[in-house]
Amino acid sequence: MPKEQGTKPVATNRRAKHDYLIEDTLEAGIVLNGTEVKSLRQGRASLVDGYAYIDRGEAWLDAVHIPEYLEGTWNNHAPRRKRKLLLHKEQIRKLAMKTKEGGYTLVPLTLYFLNGRAKVELAVAKGKREFDKRHALRERQDKREADRAVASRKYMGE
């Protein structure tokens, strides 16, 4: 059987870019059970409430919902269990230092398979305030309107 090649996305946290100011990203492996892998291969996962944290020199991913495998038996996994992240000690130390600073947190952005192995893209992020979210939304709308105006002008032939 040939080995899988390339990237296969499973789940993305689209809300994270709206709620947080992303400072830095990194890729981490995840320790999973067999039924969790099978459920992920079916494309079933949710990162909405997920977060990561450092505890006693280990990185953990919590509150990520991977539903039970439908064909699983009595040894199916718990959908919202803590999952260990696979990172180098130096990476964990850097993340711990950054999260100790005020307002920073670790947020999962995407969950995907890379060459057959489950990976998660983590972001060191700072929470946006309400007015920051409104400001970003307004900027996006202004840019969209300007692009439409330029496109319509090109279409009219002026």
Side-chain angles (χ1 to χ4, degrees):
M1 183 171 187
K3 187 177 177 182
E4 286 186 38
Q5 295 294 317
T7 304
K8 179 188 168 195
V10 176
T12 59
N13 189 353
R14 294 176 25 201
R15 189 114 182 112
K17 291 187 176 152
H18 176 70
D19 290 340
Y20 298 97
L21 181 66
I22 308 297
E23 300 250 334
D24 191 22
T25 61
L26 76 143
E27 179 182 82
I30 316 170
V31 176
L32 297 173
N33 293 335
T35 54
E36 288 174 319
V37 175
K38 289 180 179 191
S39 186
L40 284 178
R41 289 205 188 279
Q42 291 178 339
R44 304 173 65 217
S46 174
L47 298 174
V48 174
D49 297 329
Y51 63 95
Y53 63 94
I54 309 294
D55 185 32
R56 290 186 228 134
E58 294 181 334
W60 295 91
L61 185 66
D62 201 4
V64 170
H65 187 265
I66 299 175
E68 290 184 346
Y69 183 57
L70 296 176
E71 287 81 31
T73 58
W74 55 270
N75 62 353
N76 229 335
H77 65 277
R80 286 194 184 266
R81 71 176 187 92
K82 289 189 333 183
R83 294 168 179 93
K84 189 173 181 178
L85 294 175
L86 303 173
L87 292 166
H88 294 284
K89 282 185 181 182
E90 188 64 27
Q91 290 175 318
I92 292 173
R93 190 183 62 76
K94 284 182 183 177
L95 288 176
M97 301 236 328
K98 280 195 175 185
T99 55
K100 293 257 194 254
E101 294 176 20
Y104 286 100
T105 187
L106 295 173
V107 180
L109 295 179
T110 57
L111 187 61
Y112 57 94
F113 283 100
L114 179 67
N115 297 331
R117 299 184 190 274
K119 304 284 184 180
V120 64
E121 183 181 16
L122 286 178
V124 177
K126 192 170 203 167
K128 284 185 185 177
R129 294 203 175 106
E130 201 61 39
F131 65 86
D132 290 333
K133 293 178 191 178
R134 284 194 304 263
H135 182 69
L137 185 64
R138 183 67 192 166
E139 281 180 354
R140 216 170 29 247
Q141 286 175 344
D142 290 344
K143 184 180 181 322
R144 190 177 308 127
E145 288 174 9
D147 290 344
R148 281 186 188 148
V150 168
S152 69
R153 222 172 140 88
K154 284 182 182 177
Y155 181 73
M156 297 295 247
E158 292 179 17

